[in-house]
Amino acid sequence: MSGTRENQGKPPVNLILSKAWLEIAKVAEFGAKKYTPHNYRLGMRWTFFVDAGMRHLIKYCTGEKTDPESGLSHLAHVVWNFLALLEFEIEDIGENDIFPGYEKKEHSENAPGS
């Protein structure tokens, strides 16, 4: 082999569980068919993802492994919702209505010179 690649300092995405990602992709596909592809990227309240993710987690924790509507894993739904929430936080998309005003207070208290 003679090829080279500079990967130092880059996240090792090969460490992520690939079979789990395939299940999450099925949830994304289900959502794209139910709504439209990338519909969530248009923005919405962050609590939509918290609520949906928690409902799926509760169903899983009470013994229901598969979502009856999609036929997919409740855990895959949980992860998809929380990944979308993380994406919203990183990209500053939608409305952060989780704790209105909390983030502003947190930032002002931790500001340099406070």
Side-chain angles (χ1 to χ4, degrees), residues 68-109:
E69 181 186 3
S70 68
L72 301 170
S73 163
H74 276 300
L75 286 179
H77 280 277
V78 169
V79 173
W80 187 92
N81 277 282
F82 292 145
L83 283 173
L85 179 60
L86 178 59
E87 182 83 6
F88 270 41
E89 180 181 75
I90 292 167
E91 297 293 333
D92 196 26
I93 300 171
E95 177 190 347
N96 179 355
D97 64 332
I98 294 174
F99 292 108
Y102 178 76
E103 189 173 303
K104 292 176 187 166
K105 179 181 175 188
E106 181 181 15
H107 285 292
S108 65
E109 288 177 359

Side-chain angles (χ1 to χ4, degrees), residues 33-49:
K33 289 177 181 176
K34 184 175 179 178
Y35 304 104
T36 58
H38 303 281
N39 171 67
Y40 68 99
R41 292 180 190 268
L42 298 174
M44 56 188 68
R45 294 195 325 245
W46 291 15
T47 53
F48 287 172
F49 299 112

Side-chain angles (χ1 to χ4, degrees), residues 10-86:
K10 296 179 182 175
V13 295
N14 66 300
L15 299 176
I16 297 174
L17 304 170
S18 57
K19 288 182 181 179
W21 278 117
L22 293 175
E23 294 306 306
I24 297 162
K26 291 175 188 177
V27 170
E29 179 183 40
F30 177 80
K33 289 177 181 176
K34 184 175 179 178
Y35 304 104
T36 58
H38 303 281
N39 171 67
Y40 68 99
R41 292 180 190 268
L42 298 174
M44 56 188 68
R45 294 195 325 245
W46 291 15
T47 53
F48 287 172
F49 299 112
V50 173
D51 291 345
M54 291 303 295
R55 282 192 298 268
H56 284 287
L57 184 58
I58 290 165
K59 289 286 191 174
Y60 178 82
C61 289
T62 58
E64 186 177 286
K65 305 297 183 211
T66 304
D67 175 59
E69 181 186 3
S70 68
L72 301 170
S73 163
H74 276 300
L75 286 179
H77 280 277
V78 169
V79 173
W80 187 92
N81 277 282
F82 292 145
L83 283 173
L85 179 60
L86 178 59

